[in-house]
Amino acid sequence: MDPKRLGLLIDANLLMQVPPDHLDTVGRTLARHPAVHGAFATTGAANLHAAVWVRDLAALYRLITHDLAGLGISGVETLLVGHAVKRPGH
């Protein structure tokens, strides 16, 4: 299914810094969020990555400022995907 056909126009990746003792809990919480289609523990400056589809930039802003609030995330870098060359299932 093409998410854009469902009105999900913004494809973004959130690269987060999470204290190690919160990583599993935050990752599993994000994995249950309806906008998140992938949640991955990683290494480096950002140790948690979430791939999301949202309707618009306002929804992305709400996700970051409201839905992520209180989870113990110390920083978020947002990457907007302009064009995906390869996706699972295509």
Side-chain angles (χ1 to χ4, degrees):
M1 172 58 76
D2 180 3
K4 291 182 181 186
R5 297 183 83 188
L6 299 173
L8 302 173
L9 303 178
I10 303 296
D11 182 4
N13 294 306
L14 306 178
L15 307 176
M16 296 162 274
Q17 297 93 37
V18 180
D21 59 334
H22 288 85
L23 187 60
D24 188 70
T25 301
V26 174
R28 291 179 189 280
T29 299
L30 286 175
R32 290 189 298 270
H33 192 285
V36 175
H37 62 86
F40 316 94
T42 62
T43 61
N47 60 353
L48 184 63
H49 174 158
V52 302
W53 282 101
V54 292
R55 291 194 178 281
D56 52 30
L57 291 175
L60 180 60
Y61 183 80
R62 278 190 306 277
L63 173 69
I64 294 167
T65 60
H66 181 267
D67 298 354
L68 299 184
L71 294 178
I73 298 167
S74 58
V76 180
E77 182 177 351
T78 305
L79 305 172
L80 297 178
V81 177
H83 176 72
V85 177
K86 181 177 179 180
R87 294 245 186 233
H90 287 141

